[in-house]
Amino acid sequence: ILSHGMESANLSRLNDCAPLLYNHDTDRMIGVVERDWIDGDKKGCYAKVRFSRNKFAQEVLQDVRD
C-alpha cells in the first residue's frame, strides 16, 4: 500500500518544470509539468501540465481531449 501523505514523496523535481514525455521517451518531449501535488484526502497525486505547441504535441493533446 502506497502512502499519499505529503511527506511520502519529493515532488521538487516535478515542480521545477519537469518535461512531459510521450511514452517515457526523452526524445519526445510534448510539454512541461507546471505543478504537481498530492491530495491526501483523495489519496492521489495530480499534475497540471502544459502541452507544447509543436504539431505532434498538439495531436497528443487532441487525443487526450477526445
Side-chain angles (χ1 to χ4, degrees), residues 25-43:
D25 185 346
T26 56
D27 291 329
R28 298 194 84 180
M29 185 174 161
I30 58 172
V32 295
V33 176
E34 291 191 334
R35 187 167 90 88
D36 186 60
W37 69 97
I38 294 175
D39 186 325
D41 294 331
K42 294 182 180 178
K43 298 189 180 193

Side-chain angles (χ1 to χ4, degrees), residues 57-66:
Q58 289 300 302
E59 290 172 0
V60 173
L61 176 58
Q62 187 58 53
D63 285 344
V64 171
R65 288 178 175 151
D66 290 346

Side-chain angles (χ1 to χ4, degrees), residues 8-24:
S8 299
N10 180 350
L11 304 177
S12 60
R13 287 181 65 195
L14 280 174
N15 283 314
D16 191 26
C17 290
L20 179 62
L21 305 176
Y22 184 75
N23 288 337
H24 300 276

